[in-house]
Amino acid sequence: MRSWIKGLIAGAAGTVALNLTSYGDMLLRGRGSSEAPAQLVDAVADRVGLVLGDEESGPHREQAVGALLGHATGLGVGAAYGLLRGRRGPLPDWVAGPLLGAAAMAGGDLPATALGVTDPGRWDRVSWLSDLIPHLVYGYTTASVYQALR
């Protein structure tokens, strides 16, 4: 099996693990889902002049596109890891996990920050942990599954 496909499969597993961690946190703390992905889509749509629907359907489409972008990020980071590590072999999980988690976190947070949707400099400790922990779970899961597929 090609290394990028193994990375894609590992990224899919990592994405599932991230979602389970996030939804588990929402269940335990009784918090709502993040509005940042939908707000990011709204900001991009505004900049390019794209209308995603009327007042009723537009916000739902923004949520859907935001979720799909999150999945694409998780799959893409996994596939990129597979491409980069294919011939050299995987990094140890304790190295690859945080690196993959940081890459996935950056994939969502950097565009949102650049477009003014969020400001990580203003996040409190709980907000940072709510973002960091699921991404670390993503990273370690992706690295472990990639290793297992080799």
Side-chain angles (χ1 to χ4, degrees):
M1 188 182 308
R2 295 183 184 259
S3 58
W4 74 270
I5 294 173
K6 292 176 191 174
L8 187 69
I9 293 167
T15 301
V16 169
L18 180 145
N19 286 332
L20 289 171
T21 303
S22 295
Y23 287 121
D25 176 48
M26 291 166 57
L27 177 64
L28 288 173
R29 293 194 300 135
R31 70 170 179 87
S33 62
S34 173
E35 296 294 323
Q39 291 171 347
L40 174 64
V41 171
D42 182 49
V44 171
D46 283 349
R47 287 195 180 215
V48 299
L50 180 64
V51 177
L52 293 175
D54 57 27
E55 288 182 20
E56 185 177 331
S57 64
H60 300 300
R61 288 192 174 115
E62 290 168 358
Q63 280 186 320
V65 173
L68 290 170
L69 287 173
H71 286 82
T73 299
L75 294 169
V77 168
Y81 180 67
L83 282 172
L84 291 171
R85 299 309 309 170
R87 293 193 178 196
R88 295 183 183 173
L91 294 170
D93 289 354
W94 63 270
V95 174
L99 291 175
L100 289 166
M105 192 169 166
D109 291 345
L110 290 178
T113 301
L115 290 172
V117 171
T118 189
D119 180 3
R122 295 180 180 248
W123 293 358
D124 61 14
R125 182 177 52 86
V126 172
S127 297
W128 270 103
L129 290 173
S130 293
D131 201 33
L132 181 63
I133 291 171
H135 284 98
L136 284 174
V137 169
Y138 165 87
Y140 281 110
T141 302
T142 301
S144 297
V145 169
Y146 185 81
Q147 179 84 349
L149 291 172
R150 290 187 47 82

